[in-house]
Amino acid sequence: MKMMTESNTPQWERLHKALAIEARAGYSDIVGKQYRFSEFLCLTFGTVPPEATPQQKQRWRDLAVEFANYEKKAKLERQQLVVKASRLLKDVQEGKPDPTPETKPLQTKTPIPQGNPNLNLDQSLEDIPDIGRTRSRSLSRLGLKTVRDVLFYYPREHIDYARQVNISDLEAGETVTVVGSVRSCNCFTSPKNPKLSIFQLVIKDRTGEVKLSRFFAGTRFTNRGWQEKQKKLYPRGAIVAASGLVKKNKYGITLDNPEIEILDSQGAEIESLNIGRVLPVYPLTEGVSADVVRKAVLKVLPAADTLKDPLPSTLRKQYGFLPLPEAIKNLHFPPDHETLSHARRRLIFDEFFFLQLGFLSRRQQQRETQKSALLDPTGKLIDQFKQVLPFSLTNAQQRVVSDILQDLNSETPMNRLVQGDVGSGKTVVAVFAILAAIQSGYQAALMAPTEVLAEQHYRKLVGWFNLLHLPVELLTGSTKTAKRREIHQQLETGELPLLVGTHALIQDTVNFQQLGLVVIDEQHRFGVQQRARLLDKGHSPHVLSMTATPIPRTLALTLHGDLDVSQIDELPPGRQEIQTTALSGRERRQAYDLIRREIAQGRQAYVVLPLVEESDKLDVRSAVEEQKKLQETVFPEFKVGLLHGRMTSQEKDEALTAFRDNETQVIVSTTVIEVGVDVPNATVMLIENAERFGLSQLHQLRGRVGRGEYKSYCILMSGSKTDTAKQRLGVLEQSRDGFFISEMDMQFRGPGEVLGKRQSGLPDFALASLVEDQEVLVLAREAAEKLVLVDRNLEDYPLLKAELERRYLKLMGSTILA
């Protein structure tokens, strides 16, 4: 690690990267090129950025001291310190102001009634006074039918009206409460809309005054009698409290659609549910108002005291968590923001903890009930393969191979995911597992999501297997009928030890004699049932999953918590550096000139676009139109090819073969070339409308170049001028670490977008966020691991076991258990 050199502008990306790498390394104080992690952070935080606020500068200096003592800290303390540093970086980057000093806290009457012996958790809402049949029908539209349902119906957010400020200190964008005396009040029908009534109230305190407005649509509000009644409610000199979001319009500062309550006197208690407190905001549906939900919650909240806490008291004390009843009550109606924070942390931990406990219990059950073939990790084929390999494995590859072979030398089914960056050498690692199966008398299958990727694997494997005198075949939707029959027959007789293919492998007609190993590439692109159908073709075969799309650790824990995960976090030597540059449309000529220079030296180029055909909704060039334009007007002296997902398999093969053989110098493509295309002679990747792609996908596309001996380039063409787009593309310009890029991608877009909406597989958390609550997820995983280690069947924790069955099934549904 190098220390920051510019004293006045922090190199944010390098700092974020250092923090992400340290988290991935298990907070081990990793050693960089020049400094240990703790030394680098200590030196970095020793230089205060000028744009930081006074409070942020003090926090910055405090972190320098804390990182100086990093080596002495326990692992949990290190985790918390890394999270604290990440948050401060984000605050300074986003220019968040220091919180305004608060005035004396508001006196709000506690809304939670104390005790109600007549309530029980399974009681129907219809039977509760003040809710009754009508309101319970409304609440049932939200899935709320019992007292327990309401208690666990968490607010989606909170509005903090608990902070009272002087009128002169109102700042746009804040949610606050002001208290003042009425200077004037008016209520009248809008001169522009006869069905709209406008209520205006001017209040003042010792520092200034503010005009508040509320709007009422409907003819009943334009009634003169109703309007006069409103004015009488707020006589001149009356003391009122008003809460709302501060907005600035052409008339000055105001509160947007404020909640208003008349007080008995200055400093009197506020009785309203909505004013002067941290207000819960619940998910609603048409016909169910916020007040109906809030009042129902208040009515049943005393029943929270009857909840039995499933978390062992030792675990609660270890992590400093609130008891469950207290956390539930303070999540719904907290007295202040700090109490809310403690309540949220406890309940977020519960969501993560029971998910991780479910994963680990499920894996333990599989290990106890399923038996797989014992595969020989030290046989003749593996020795021969090591001898014919023209290169040495990296340390990371050797580590992962060791993990895999150790798994295979057990009757417990292997279920391992190998994450590796673009070009890290995952396929060669998989070959060791395949050869272990073959030399033990079993067959292996490798399934890839696309024909392009399956073919790429097949080509590579044929080259290696020919040297070992082993047959390997390819089965896809394009395989001819006669060849397909031949493959089926050889599989059933056991003559064919390895079959590579696409979804064609899971067809009913494909039967293995003795399938011992399944390798699934880009496994996240297959559904649960598709993967299961392939596994059913053997008797509890070992499973090795691979992905060239690194995902953040928190996503891996959430999606693959029941898998063992290995990471190939080291690129083989000789991989060329890829120079990445973001350009605007006005700089397009530079990109075309670069392509011409490279082709003049015998190289080739990719041009990638997001769509196949023109779209009225998206201002994006289509691959078809772009290929025609480039061929006819930009590069008429070169041959420009075309590749996209709607072409037939034969057309794709012809296009790729022509590009591999350098018959076409430029290929215009959609993201079909994201993985699986290996043309070492290609040195330029030009990505149009780069702002429309995720960072991880851009990184995958970039990985199509830099695969040979020549210097390579990636050009990110962007039509967006937003700061966010520039920041996102800046990450690609400055980093080649796929794991770091995936972390940043999740920060920018969220986990659902990173994984893809079609098949994200994410559980439906009520409170937890994989972006904001990563630290709590790590704690939950550690706590679950410790508990399973001590009592794997949870026999000593019956409450915990019962809650696990309820929560895990509800949280994951068919995503994991199908």
Side-chain angles (χ1 to χ4, degrees), residues 251-282:
Y251 301 111
I253 287 286
T254 186
L255 299 184
D256 184 49
N257 196 30
E259 298 283 350
I260 304 170
E261 179 180 342
I262 300 176
L263 305 182
D264 291 338
S265 62
Q266 192 80 34
E269 267 193 355
I270 298 175
E271 297 188 1
S272 167
L273 288 183
N274 300 345
I275 296 175
R277 64 178 76 253
V278 181
L279 184 68
V281 179
Y282 296 91

Coordinates of all heavy atoms in Angstrom, one line a residue, residues 251-282:
Y251 N -41.5 31.9 -1.7 CA -41.9 32.8 -0.7 C -41.0 32.7 0.6 O -41.2 33.4 1.5 CB -43.3 32.5 -0.3 CG -44.3 32.6 -1.4 CD1 -44.9 31.5 -2.0 CD2 -44.6 33.9 -2.0 CE1 -45.8 31.6 -3.0 CE2 -45.5 34.0 -3.0 CZ -46.1 32.8 -3.6 OH -47.0 32.9 -4.6
G252 N -40.0 31.7 0.5 CA -39.1 31.6 1.7 C -39.2 30.2 2.3 O -39.7 29.2 1.6
I253 N -38.7 30.1 3.5 CA -38.7 28.8 4.2 C -40.1 28.4 4.8 O -40.8 29.3 5.3 CB -37.6 28.8 5.3 CG1 -36.2 28.8 4.8 CG2 -37.8 27.7 6.3 CD1 -35.8 27.5 4.2
T254 N -40.5 27.2 4.7 CA -41.7 26.7 5.3 C -41.6 25.2 5.7 O -40.6 24.6 5.4 CB -42.9 26.9 4.3 OG1 -44.1 26.6 5.0 CG2 -42.7 26.1 3.1
L255 N -42.7 24.7 6.3 CA -42.7 23.3 6.5 C -43.7 22.7 5.5 O -44.8 23.2 5.3 CB -43.2 23.0 8.0 CG -42.3 23.5 9.1 CD1 -42.9 23.0 10.4 CD2 -40.9 23.0 8.9
D256 N -43.3 21.5 4.9 CA -44.2 20.9 3.9 C -45.3 20.1 4.6 O -45.0 19.2 5.3 CB -43.3 20.0 3.0 CG -44.1 19.4 1.9 OD1 -44.8 20.2 1.2 OD2 -44.0 18.2 1.7
N257 N -46.6 20.5 4.3 CA -47.7 19.8 4.8 C -47.6 19.4 6.3 O -47.6 18.3 6.7 CB -48.0 18.5 4.0 CG -49.4 18.0 4.2 OD1 -50.3 18.7 4.5 ND2 -49.5 16.7 4.1
P258 N -47.4 20.4 7.2 CA -47.0 20.1 8.5 C -48.1 19.5 9.4 O -49.3 19.7 9.1 CB -46.6 21.5 9.1 CG -47.5 22.4 8.3 CD -47.6 21.8 6.9
E259 N -47.7 18.8 10.4 CA -48.6 18.3 11.5 C -48.6 19.4 12.5 O -47.5 19.9 12.9 CB -48.1 17.0 12.1 CG -48.0 15.9 11.1 CD -49.4 15.3 10.8 OE1 -50.4 15.6 11.5 OE2 -49.5 14.4 9.9
I260 N -49.8 19.9 13.0 CA -49.9 21.0 13.9 C -50.7 20.6 15.1 O -51.8 20.0 15.0 CB -50.5 22.2 13.2 CG1 -49.7 22.6 11.9 CG2 -50.6 23.4 14.2 CD1 -50.4 23.6 11.1
E261 N -50.2 21.0 16.3 CA -51.0 20.8 17.6 C -50.9 22.0 18.5 O -49.9 22.6 18.6 CB -50.4 19.6 18.3 CG -51.2 19.3 19.6 CD -50.6 18.1 20.4 OE1 -49.9 17.3 19.8 OE2 -50.9 18.0 21.6
I262 N -52.1 22.3 19.1 CA -52.2 23.4 20.0 C -51.7 22.9 21.4 O -52.2 21.9 21.8 CB -53.6 24.0 20.1 CG1 -54.0 24.5 18.7 CG2 -53.7 25.1 21.1 CD1 -55.5 25.0 18.7
L263 N -50.8 23.7 22.0 CA -50.3 23.3 23.4 C -51.0 24.2 24.4 O -51.5 25.3 24.2 CB -48.8 23.5 23.4 CG -48.0 22.8 22.4 CD1 -46.5 23.1 22.6 CD2 -48.2 21.3 22.4
D264 N -51.1 23.6 25.6 CA -51.7 24.4 26.8 C -50.9 25.6 27.1 O -51.4 26.6 27.5 CB -51.9 23.5 28.0 CG -52.9 22.4 27.8 OD1 -53.8 22.6 26.9 OD2 -52.8 21.4 28.4
S265 N -49.6 25.4 27.0 CA -48.7 26.6 27.3 C -47.3 26.2 26.7 O -47.0 25.1 26.3 CB -48.6 26.7 28.8 OG -48.0 25.6 29.4
Q266 N -46.4 27.2 26.8 CA -45.0 27.0 26.3 C -44.4 25.9 27.2 O -44.4 26.0 28.4 CB -44.2 28.3 26.5 CG -42.9 28.3 25.8 CD -43.0 28.5 24.3 OE1 -43.8 29.2 23.8 NE2 -42.2 27.8 23.5
G267 N -43.8 24.9 26.6 CA -43.2 23.8 27.3 C -44.1 22.7 27.8 O -43.7 21.8 28.5
A268 N -45.4 22.8 27.4 CA -46.3 21.8 27.8 C -46.1 20.5 27.0 O -45.5 20.5 26.0 CB -47.8 22.3 27.5
E269 N -46.6 19.3 27.6 CA -46.4 18.0 26.9 C -47.2 18.0 25.6 O -48.3 18.5 25.5 CB -46.9 16.9 27.8 CG -45.9 16.3 28.7 CD -46.4 15.0 29.3 OE1 -47.5 14.7 29.2 OE2 -45.6 14.4 30.0
I270 N -46.6 17.4 24.6 CA -47.3 17.2 23.3 C -47.9 15.8 23.3 O -47.2 14.8 23.6 CB -46.3 17.3 22.1 CG1 -45.7 18.7 22.1 CG2 -46.9 16.9 20.8 CD1 -44.6 18.9 21.0
E271 N -49.2 15.7 23.1 CA -49.9 14.4 23.1 C -50.1 13.8 21.8 O -50.4 12.6 21.7 CB -51.3 14.6 23.8 CG -51.2 15.2 25.2 CD -52.6 15.2 25.9 OE1 -53.6 14.8 25.2 OE2 -52.6 15.6 27.1
S272 N -49.9 14.5 20.7 CA -50.1 14.0 19.4 C -49.2 12.8 19.1 O -48.0 12.7 19.6 CB -49.9 15.0 18.3 OG -49.8 14.5 17.0
L273 N -49.6 11.8 18.3 CA -48.8 10.7 17.8 C -47.8 11.1 16.8 O -46.8 10.5 16.5 CB -49.7 9.6 17.2 CG -50.5 8.8 18.2 CD1 -51.3 7.7 17.4 CD2 -49.7 8.2 19.3
N274 N -48.1 12.3 16.1 CA -47.3 12.6 15.0 C -46.3 13.8 15.2 O -45.4 14.0 14.4 CB -48.2 13.0 13.8 CG -49.1 11.9 13.4 OD1 -48.9 10.8 13.8 ND2 -50.2 12.2 12.7
I275 N -46.5 14.5 16.3 CA -45.7 15.8 16.4 C -44.6 15.6 17.5 O -44.9 15.0 18.6 CB -46.6 16.9 16.8 CG1 -47.6 17.2 15.6 CG2 -45.9 18.2 17.1 CD1 -48.6 18.2 15.9
G276 N -43.5 16.1 17.2 CA -42.4 16.2 18.2 C -41.8 14.9 18.7 O -41.2 14.8 19.7
R277 N -41.9 13.9 17.8 CA -41.3 12.6 18.2 C -40.8 11.9 17.0 O -40.9 12.4 15.9 CB -42.4 11.7 18.9 CG -43.5 11.3 17.9 CD -44.5 10.4 18.6 NE -45.4 11.1 19.6 CZ -45.3 11.0 20.9 NH1 -44.3 10.2 21.4 NH2 -46.1 11.6 21.7
V278 N -40.1 10.8 17.2 CA -39.6 10.0 16.1 C -40.8 9.2 15.6 O -41.3 8.3 16.2 CB -38.4 9.0 16.5 CG1 -37.9 8.2 15.3 CG2 -37.3 9.9 17.1
L279 N -41.3 9.5 14.4 CA -42.5 9.0 13.9 C -42.3 7.8 13.0 O -41.6 7.9 12.0 CB -43.2 10.1 13.1 CG -44.6 9.8 12.6 CD1 -45.6 9.7 13.7 CD2 -45.1 11.0 11.6
P280 N -43.0 6.6 13.3 CA -42.8 5.5 12.4 C -43.6 5.6 11.1 O -44.8 6.2 11.1 CB -43.4 4.3 13.2 CG -44.4 5.0 14.1 CD -43.8 6.4 14.4
V281 N -43.1 5.2 10.0 CA -43.7 5.2 8.7 C -43.9 3.8 8.2 O -42.8 3.1 8.0 CB -43.0 6.1 7.7 CG1 -43.7 6.1 6.3 CG2 -42.8 7.5 8.2
Y282 N -45.1 3.3 8.1 CA -45.3 1.9 7.7 C -45.6 1.7 6.2 O -46.2 2.6 5.6 CB -46.5 1.4 8.6 CG -46.2 1.3 10.0 CD1 -46.6 2.4 10.8 CD2 -45.6 0.3 10.6 CE1 -46.3 2.4 12.2 CE2 -45.3 0.3 12.0 CZ -45.7 1.3 12.8 OH -45.4 1.3 14.1

